[in-house]
Amino acid sequence: MSDVNAYERTEEPGFGDYVALLKPRVMSLVVFTAMVGLLVAPVPVHPFIAFTSILFIAIGAGASGALNMWWDADIDAVMSRTQKRPIPAGKIQPGEALGLGVALSGLSVMMLGLAANLAAAALLAFTIFFYAVIYTMILKRWTPQNIVIGGAAGAFPPMVGWVAATGSVSLEAVLMFGLIFFWTPPHFWALCLFMKSDYADAKVPMLTVTHGHDAARRQIFIYTLVLATSALALGFTSIAGPAYIATALVMNALFAKGAWAILRRTTEAAQADGYKVEKSFFKLSLIYLTLQFGALLADAALRALGLIGGAA
């Protein structure tokens, strides 16, 4: 954790600096998957309630990002890919980030409870706590399984959206959770394979640092197989249709092929071609969730038009 007085302000923060503090790229995935979870639920939701629910889920995600940046400012200052974040760059003080994160956390949970239901609000509160405390403050610096367990925080949004619509958790919500949960390790470890010494320099016990690249390659392949099983299982539920099934078959075949290619590589071969295979797999992982959750949304639209059967 960083000292709240360790970063001198170099310039007055602008609106964009506070937006950056909320991790907008992560927030965009949260908003999208939460929206899908809400819209594919077999319960009609008033458009205003749907909009406000997604808005407060997004604010909760931003609150998590602010709390994460507050706690991780010391390691963000060491890692090349995070040095320009608002706190290590001296634009926002750690105490300001903490205050904003706590305030937005309370606001998002309270307002989601009023807009949707208490179950969704409680699940959002747990999600923020899990990411900010369980992952950021404990797991990230303690165990090489940080990404595996911590990935649950990023997997909750579609479940929160589903609960906002239905008031309860179901198999469909659990499998949407699993789609993100099992995707996170291969996605992130592929990045770690070609991130050079960032995590080692910051003394963060990522798998590639503690167990080496060969172990990470094996784990990527194992989690990819588990991910494919979970993704295909979702195809047998009431919210899936032809669009999702076709997308899941193609994307998981490509993902498995990429993971197998990574497994067969040596570190020497990867270094020789500039981690070409690993970077290609990582790029594929960036569109994996978008296409599959988008396919669920497409099936929901087809179902609403009466073109396919399923949940109603």
Side-chain angles (χ1 to χ4, degrees):
M1 176 195 170
S2 61
D3 183 340
V4 295
N5 298 312
Y7 301 90
E8 292 187 11
R9 193 190 300 279
T10 59
E11 58 184 278
E12 286 301 313
F15 178 74
D17 297 317
Y18 287 104
V19 171
L21 194 68
L22 305 183
K23 292 191 172 182
R25 290 183 63 181
V26 175
M27 188 190 295
S28 64
L29 180 62
V30 168
V31 169
F32 179 61
T33 58
M35 179 184 70
V36 173
L38 187 148
L39 294 179
V40 303
V43 177
V45 181
H46 190 280
F48 180 75
I49 294 177
F51 172 78
T52 53
S53 294
I54 299 304
L55 173 63
F56 296 126
I57 292 171
I59 292 174
S64 298
L67 293 172
N68 172 268
M69 286 202 191
W70 160 67
W71 187 265
D72 277 353
D74 57 335
I75 62 176
D76 282 349
V78 174
M79 297 173 61
S80 60
R81 74 183 185 91
T82 57
Q83 287 175 345
K84 294 182 179 180
R85 285 178 172 176
I87 297 176
K91 296 179 180 179
I92 293 178
Q93 290 293 294
E96 295 173 327
L98 172 61
L100 181 64
V102 171
L104 292 182
S105 295
L107 174 68
S108 62
V109 171
M110 178 181 68
M111 294 306 295
L112 183 61
L114 293 173
N117 54 67
L118 293 180
L123 188 55
L124 178 61
F126 179 74
T127 301
I128 296 171
F129 172 81
F130 196 98
Y131 185 70
V133 179
I134 303 299
Y135 170 66
T136 301
M137 297 183 185
I138 301 175
L139 295 175
K140 186 172 183 177
R141 306 186 193 213
W142 177 59
T143 171
Q145 294 298 308
N146 45 22
I147 288 301
V148 177
I149 307 170
F156 277 119
M159 186 180 286
V160 178
W162 181 279
V163 174
T166 67
S168 62
V169 176
S170 69
L171 176 62
E172 291 86 351
V174 172
L175 288 174
M176 283 190 288
F177 170 94
L179 197 60
I180 303 175
F181 180 77
F182 293 119
W183 163 86
T184 303
H187 161 75
F188 208 88
W189 284 333
L191 173 66
C192 292
L193 286 174
F194 58 86
M195 277 300 295
K196 298 183 180 179
S197 62
D198 259 11
Y199 291 108
D201 293 343
K203 295 181 174 57
V204 177
M206 288 297 172
L207 186 67
T208 49
V209 175
T210 61
H211 290 71
H213 284 202
D214 288 343
R217 294 176 190 281
R218 289 192 295 271
Q219 291 297 313
I220 287 173
F221 184 69
I222 291 170
Y223 273 95
T224 295
L225 295 182
V226 177
L227 170 63
T229 302
S230 178
L232 295 176
L234 183 56
F236 290 96
T237 65
S238 61
I239 62 173
Y244 176 80
I245 293 172
T247 302
L249 287 172
V250 172
M251 291 305 299
N252 285 280
L254 292 173
F255 219 57
K257 180 182 178 183
W260 174 249
I262 287 177
L263 178 65
R264 297 179 63 190
R265 302 258 283 174
T266 64
T267 300
E268 292 73 21
Q271 290 174 339
D273 66 9
Y275 295 92
K276 181 179 179 181
V277 172
E278 291 78 4
K279 290 178 179 178
S280 177
F281 181 86
F282 178 73
K283 289 178 181 177
L284 177 65
S285 74
L286 293 176
I287 64 172
Y288 177 93
L289 288 181
T290 301
L291 291 180
Q292 292 201 129
F293 275 93
L296 286 175
L297 203 56
D299 282 329
L302 292 174
R303 194 170 293 116
L305 294 172
L307 299 177
I308 60 172

